[in-house]
Amino acid sequence: MSVNAPSSAVQTGPSTGDATGAEPIQTDSVIIGAGPVGLFQVFELGLLEIKAHVVDSLPRIGGQCMELYPDKPIYDIPAVPVCSGRELTESLLKQIEPFHATFHLGQTVSSLQRQDDGRFLVETSRATRFLTRTVIIAAGVGAFEPRRLRIDGIAAFENAQLFYRVRDPADFAGKRLLIAGGGDSALDWALNFAREDARSASDLILLHRRQDFRAAPASVARMRELAGAGRLRLLTGQITGLEEAGGRLLAVQVTGLDDAVARVPLDALLVFFGLSPRLGPIAEWGLELERRAIAVDTEKFETNVPGVFAVGDINIYPGKKKLILSGFHEAALAAFGAARYVFPNKPIHLQYTTTSTKVHRILGVDSPPRGAAAA
Ligand code: FAD
């Protein structure tokens, strides 16, 4: 499974026909957040034979590791001297393959309600619904949302002419397109729409507030080449006003570094000012919060709502350190906590992955012959 290319186990909308209808998806556990800790939670639940569905607001898996530092080296993952955010995400995905968790991406968990039978009804912004025995919140610093353009009156054009993400590139083909931003997303889409084919924009402008770009140097170099070849126009400045008529956005005003104001006519505006995290709906679920994090015990990482656990950056307890390795430990203990709800009558024993034939069966690996470990 890849972080970007959804496999059959990755759903970017409601995962089954019945998810949005009368019958919610029934499962043992719903994990909110597909960051490194949410991914490792799949593994720890899986070892205890607890099935999980994973939901993330973002269209791709990996949380902060993929959104904020995919190519930066991490040096403090135990037994992995160095790996990038992307490599860590890919390794975790490989590790959880045996458990076939279903991913529901591009949707935010919006509500959590206890049912009469003790289970939770969990619903997402895309109306996917789950009935689950346990909920594990691995929501990091909250749901990432695009930073918005702050100009009076501009919000009225959102999803009509103003967009913060590209759902279908064909929507912009043949249009006068202004892309605002200086990071990887802005540059990647500028390069995409500057291509010489039917899917390119008819007139493409890349607007950034500074002359330096945060994006990968190779993308910046290619963008400058294309600008030199006349495939796109590069502007430096900020959007400071808009011009509309009859409910349509006709143009924006761009104030340059020299304070001169230019009128830029357009059909569509794509804004990539980065993402900012918001705790969002999680704050309304009756969970005890402390400094915008969820208070948990340190035995099971359970919240004040029995059956709801919180692991990774989202939780708080005495001595908490927001590190990936702390989240991995929390995920292991939360899985044992969750097992008490999923299998209330079954004793749950710790089993070593090295020696347990039961765990080998769960992982789909061959058990070594008896006595091999002692040899
Ligand atoms: P996250 O990675 O934040 O993932 C949470 C996910 O939950 C997100 O994808 C979010 O979209 C999703 N989400 C939130 N709310 C909802 C909702 N309501 N519905 C659906 N989805 C939701 N840590 C280290 O240990 N070592 C390092 O070297 C290190 N370097 C770092 C460098 C940088 C630049 C940064 C920013 C952080 C670094 N960290 C490092 C910290 C590390 O990235 C975090 O501790 C880790 O990502 C936490 O993982 P998580 O799974 O708890 O949360």
Side-chain angles (χ1 to χ4, degrees):
M1 194 193 299
S2 121
V3 287
N4 284 317
S7 76
S8 59
V10 181
Q11 313 287 333
T12 50
S15 59
T16 61
D18 61 3
T20 53
E23 294 300 319
I25 297 167
Q26 306 216 11
T27 182
D28 297 332
S29 196
V30 168
I31 300 172
I32 303 174
V37 181
L39 295 179
F40 195 62
Q41 188 67 67
V42 171
F43 184 80
E44 288 296 326
L45 291 173
L47 287 182
L48 299 179
E49 300 185 277
I50 299 174
K51 298 205 173 359
H53 284 251
V54 187
V55 185
D56 203 297
S57 324
L58 294 172
R60 64 177 169 178
I61 293 168
Q64 292 175 54
C65 296
M66 284 299 296
E67 281 313 309
L68 303 180
Y69 57 100
D71 301 313
K72 285 204 165 54
I74 311 174
Y75 297 101
D76 58 350
I77 304 299
V80 180
V82 59
C83 70
S84 66
R86 187 190 312 278
E87 285 162 346
L88 178 68
T89 305
E90 283 167 357
S91 298
L92 285 163
L93 280 171
K94 178 92 192 123
Q95 192 169 21
I96 65 175
E97 262 173 17
F99 303 114
H100 308 291
T102 307
F103 285 85
H104 306 262
L105 301 178
Q107 42 196 314
T108 298
V109 173
S110 48
S111 77
L112 173 72
Q113 286 167 349
R114 169 92 67 187
Q115 303 299 287
D116 290 343
D117 65 3
R119 290 185 294 174
F120 295 94
L121 181 65
V122 174
E123 192 157 352
T124 77
S125 53
R126 288 172 79 163
T128 307
R129 299 194 308 148
F130 305 90
L131 258 183
T132 178
R133 293 182 194 288
T134 58
V135 175
I136 309 219
I137 305 175
V141 280
F144 285 110
E145 293 196 350
R147 285 205 179 89
R148 287 180 155 65
L149 178 62
R150 298 195 186 281
I151 299 292
D152 282 348
I154 199 80
F157 300 100
E158 201 169 322
N159 295 324
Q161 287 176 276
L162 164 66
F163 303 89
Y164 292 98
R165 73 170 49 147
V166 176
R167 290 208 192 278
D168 183 357
D171 294 343
F172 301 94
K175 295 208 167 138
R176 293 172 303 169
L177 176 62
L178 174 66
I179 299 181
D184 285 315
S185 300
L187 270 280
D188 288 352
W189 283 114
L191 298 184
N192 178 79
F193 288 118
R195 288 184 317 204
E196 285 187 86
D197 67 20
R199 285 181 291 164
S200 64
S202 69
D203 181 29
L204 178 62
I205 295 175
L206 176 65
L207 170 69
H208 184 39
R209 66 193 159 91
R210 294 187 281 123
Q211 268 153 357
D212 303 336
F213 286 81
R214 286 190 320 277
S219 306
V220 178
R222 178 74 186 131
M223 179 274 294
R224 291 198 193 279
E225 252 175 52
L226 289 168
R231 300 285 315 154
L232 65 86
R233 263 195 299 152
L234 185 56
L235 285 184
T236 309
Q238 300 196 51
I239 300 175
T240 47
L242 60 85
E243 189 183 313
E244 63 174 304
R248 275 200 67 77
L249 180 63
L250 302 180
V252 289
Q253 278 127 31
V254 171
T255 304
L257 297 180
D258 55 0
D259 286 336
V261 180
R263 177 181 182 272
V264 180
L266 51 80
D267 299 312
L269 174 57
L270 264 172
V271 173
F272 298 106
F273 288 168
L275 299 166
S276 66
R278 280 191 54 240
L279 198 53
I282 293 173
E284 290 147 28
W285 298 342
L287 300 165
E288 191 185 322
L289 299 177
E290 203 184 309
R291 286 189 280 142
R292 294 179 45 78
I294 302 173
V296 288
D297 65 47
T298 49
E299 181 198 347
K300 307 177 269 18
F301 296 93
E302 194 166 16
T303 68
N304 61 313
V305 177
V308 178
F309 300 79
V311 292
D313 278 12
I314 194 80
N315 74 14
I316 189 159
Y317 53 84
K320 168 73 183 184
K321 296 281 177 282
K322 289 191 181 184
L323 286 172
I324 296 165
L325 74 88
S326 317
F328 287 171
H329 160 77
E330 295 158 15
L333 295 198
F336 280 93
R340 294 189 200 171
Y341 294 93
V342 179
F343 307 114
N345 303 316
K346 198 167 106 177
I348 307 293
H349 300 295
L350 173 72
Q351 311 232 18
Y352 288 140
T353 59
T354 341
T355 48
S356 162
T357 49
K358 182 178 175 196
V359 168
H360 292 165
R361 178 181 53 72
I362 293 169
L363 289 172
V365 295
D366 288 334
S367 286
R370 269 171 187 278

